[in-house]
Amino acid sequence: MRKEYLIYKLSDEVKNSGKIPVEAFQEYGVKRGLRNEDGSGVLVGLTNIGNVVGYDRDADGKLRPCPGRLYYRGYELDDLVTPLLKEKRFGFEETAFLLLSGGLPDKEELAAFRELLNDNMPLDHRTIVHIIDLEGSDIMNILARCVLEMYTFDHNPDDISRDNLMRQSIELIAKFPTIIAYAYNIYRHSVQGRSLHIRHPRENLGIAENFLYMLKREHYTELDARTLDLLLVTQAEHGGGNNSTFTVRVTSSTRTDTYSSIAAGIGSLKGPLHGGANIKVVNMFHHLKEQIKDWKNTDEIDTYLTRMLNRKAYDKTGLIYGIGHAVYTMSDPRAVELKRLAGELAREKKRSDEYEFLCRLEEESIKCVTAFRKTDKPICANLDFYSGFIYEMIGLPKEIFTPIFAMARIVGWTAHRIEELNFDGRRIIRPAYKTILDQKAYLPINER
């Protein structure tokens, strides 16, 4: 048998060997996707870090939709974001301190924490050389490889004491922006043929400003930097049940090293059903801007969106990207925050027409999806609906949309890893899978 043919034969065999009837999941009481029959998540753990609320339960235990709420260590997201907007100051470092420690810092603690992060932003020279050597086109893969490489440079990589976990967490939070900026600059040089710039982080800048400086030098505005900072705040944490954070907790429960666990989280976030969804929304938005002639005509918008839902337009998947969420029903609090950020930035960039069109698309998409599904169950725009548009207005390329998500979420990942390894009664996470295949009699090789 030809070796090349064997790959196709093995692949073809999977069509039969991998079949599992959908009805079997209900027969055996399996919670597909760790979801209950009513769509709520299966409770698999407890946490003090983040809380995601998309529905309440009535007296009979049935789900009741409600406006979405997101809590960081007991503080509602809007209560953290509104003062930052009002006072026009940066808040990502403050949010990181809160999520790692459980409490908000005072001015002295915050200044020291910012200095500590800044001290850890520069990369080991060997890491810079390896980023140049990697020259990959996927920044998430380069980020994962750089994280795994940090194990080699760590003088105590396997120690899971609280002190060491906190040290590693702070180093990772600080180094993610630098790795991503350098990796993109190398990509820009090697793939796009542009000049190569390696700008080292500045001591007097925070994470959001430093990231923009390493990418764009001084070609960004104060509002650009504050908007990116607030984007990082809104994406820093989303409870223990989201796929990437759960991946970090599962791997951490084995007591593996920090770098292996975080690399696994990066691999999870990279998926288009998780962190990569914002690119899908941006591509769709560009398409709709071209196809819909009158951006204010709701009838024209509805007609085209309905064609998309019927798999007759755009990519023919039947999806409107950025609409709907696994937990949130009436609203996604992150999308609410990003919507108002996008409006302010659009005015500065003179792109208010596009912003108003995007808002109209949100409203009409919800209406069309509800009518198409023939349901009264509320749905909402999610985080991704506005994040990509904001990235574009700041002048950030699509290649780093998902890495920026990782740059924010590394805070939540490390906070959950520390918690997973320090709460009383911890055990390795090991769910069960039931085999539904009948037992077979073994045949000697000369009888097959």
Side-chain angles (χ1 to χ4, degrees):
M1 179 182 291
R2 292 176 58 187
K3 290 181 288 186
E4 295 83 358
Y5 170 73
L6 188 58
I7 295 174
Y8 297 105
K9 185 178 187 301
L10 292 170
S11 176
D12 193 58
E13 291 292 336
V14 173
K15 287 193 300 185
N16 295 317
S17 64
K19 278 185 178 178
I20 297 178
V22 174
E23 56 271 17
F25 291 93
Q26 190 168 9
E27 179 184 350
Y28 293 105
V30 176
K31 311 291 188 180
R32 282 194 299 153
L34 290 180
R35 306 276 183 86
N36 294 310
E37 289 298 317
D38 60 9
S40 61
V42 174
L43 188 61
V44 297
L46 303 173
T47 182
N48 288 322
I49 299 170
N51 187 26
V52 181
V53 180
Y55 45 79
D56 296 320
R57 290 189 183 274
D58 59 24
D60 297 325
K62 293 183 179 179
L63 300 187
R64 185 177 67 250
C66 69
R69 302 187 300 276
L70 175 59
Y71 297 89
Y72 291 178
R73 294 287 188 177
Y75 295 94
E76 193 164 358
L77 179 64
D78 188 64
D79 291 338
L80 298 172
V81 170
T82 297
L84 300 177
L85 289 168
K86 184 179 179 181
E87 299 163 22
K88 294 186 176 181
R89 63 184 179 86
F90 296 95
F92 182 58
E93 290 84 356
E94 183 178 342
T95 301
F97 187 103
L98 169 66
L99 289 170
L100 288 175
S101 70
L104 288 167
D106 59 28
K107 288 184 178 180
E108 184 179 352
E109 289 172 328
L110 181 57
F113 186 67
R114 281 178 168 153
E115 186 176 339
L116 182 60
L117 286 170
N118 206 279
D119 289 345
N120 282 282
M121 285 193 79
L123 301 180
D124 186 286
H125 178 70
R126 291 168 292 181
T127 300
I128 299 174
V129 171
H130 288 164
I131 292 175
I132 294 172
D133 288 341
L134 289 172
E135 283 192 1
S137 61
D138 193 297
I139 310 302
M140 287 292 278
N141 282 347
I142 294 175
L143 179 62
R145 284 180 279 180
C146 288
V147 167
L148 288 171
E149 186 181 57
M150 287 175 67
Y151 179 96
T152 307
F153 307 142
D154 192 326
H155 63 277
N156 202 7
D158 294 304
D159 180 5
I160 58 172
S161 65
R162 285 195 304 272
D163 289 350
N164 200 55
L165 287 173
M166 189 62 72
R167 173 189 64 82
Q168 291 173 330
S169 299
I170 289 169
E171 288 185 6
L172 284 162
I173 293 166
K175 285 178 167 46
F176 263 41
T178 315
I179 293 170
I180 294 165
Y182 286 9
Y184 176 72
N185 285 332
I186 298 299
Y187 163 81
R188 181 176 176 270
H189 171 68
S190 61
V191 176
Q192 299 179 351
R194 307 290 294 276
S195 298
L196 176 59
H197 300 285
I198 298 292
R199 301 184 189 93
H200 301 301
R202 287 184 167 182
E203 292 182 4
N204 62 330
L205 300 179
I207 283 179
E209 280 191 288
N210 252 319
F211 183 67
L212 291 177
Y213 170 75
M214 288 186 285
L215 282 173
K216 299 160 63 72
R217 203 172 179 179
E218 284 87 11
H219 302 300
Y220 63 90
T221 67
E222 179 195 349
L223 185 56
D224 287 339
R226 286 196 294 108
T227 302
L228 176 61
D229 175 81
L230 286 165
L231 257 169
L232 298 177
V233 169
T234 60
Q235 297 182 103
E237 160 63 2
H238 206 237
N242 72 82
N243 197 287
S244 57
T245 302
F246 187 56
T247 298
V248 171
R249 293 201 73 134
V250 169
T251 51
S252 294
S253 76
T254 72
R255 302 196 180 186
T256 190
D257 67 277
T258 293
Y259 307 104
S260 295
S261 182
I262 297 302
I266 293 170
S268 169
L269 188 71
K270 179 175 179 283
L273 295 184
H274 193 1
N278 45 30
I279 298 174
K280 296 275 191 180
V281 176
V282 166
N283 290 339
M284 178 188 73
F285 185 46
H286 285 302
H287 175 82
L288 291 173
K289 284 192 296 183
E290 294 177 0
Q291 295 298 316
I292 295 174
K293 305 305 179 186
D294 184 354
W295 293 357
K296 296 181 179 180
N297 188 328
T298 56
D299 289 338
E300 184 183 358
I301 293 171
D302 291 354
T303 298
Y304 199 84
L305 292 176
T306 302
R307 289 185 63 213
M308 287 174 59
L309 291 168
N310 281 298
R311 303 174 186 264
K312 294 180 179 179
Y314 189 43
D315 60 2
K316 299 181 181 178
T317 60
L319 299 174
I320 298 177
Y321 298 107
I323 299 297
H325 191 270
V327 178
Y328 297 122
T329 51
M330 295 176 68
S331 63
D332 180 339
R334 303 166 303 168
V336 172
E337 300 294 350
L338 294 191
K339 186 173 182 177
R340 63 172 170 168
L341 292 177
E344 184 179 359
L345 194 60
R347 287 189 291 274
E348 179 183 271
K349 306 299 181 185
K350 295 180 171 52
R351 296 180 67 174
S352 292
D353 287 349
E354 290 176 75
Y355 170 72
E356 290 169 6
F357 179 46
L358 188 60
C359 293
R360 199 168 291 114
L361 282 175
E362 175 192 1
E363 184 177 341
E364 297 307 311
S365 295
I366 292 170
K367 185 174 75 174
C368 289
V369 171
T370 301
F372 182 78
R373 294 179 180 173
K374 296 180 175 62
T375 178
D376 57 357
K377 180 181 178 182
I379 59 170
C380 62
N382 60 47
L383 166 79
D384 299 305
F385 199 82
Y386 288 95
S387 63
F389 181 55
I390 292 174
Y391 290 146
E392 277 198 339
M393 288 193 290
I394 295 173
L396 299 174
K398 285 190 290 187
E399 290 82 3
I400 60 172
F401 285 7
T402 308
I404 292 172
F405 200 158
M407 190 168 94
R409 190 56 60 83
I410 181 60
V411 176
W413 288 342
T414 50
H416 278 276
R417 173 171 168 80
I418 293 170
E419 185 178 68
E420 183 66 37
L421 289 168
N422 281 281
F423 71 88
D424 293 335
R426 60 190 179 276
R427 297 178 67 178
I428 184 172
I429 298 173
R430 191 200 180 284
Y433 271 71
K434 180 176 180 61
T435 301
I436 60 173
L437 188 67
D438 293 332
Q439 189 172 345
K440 299 177 182 179
Y442 177 80
L443 287 176
I445 191 166
N446 59 351
E447 295 180 18
R448 297 176 209 163

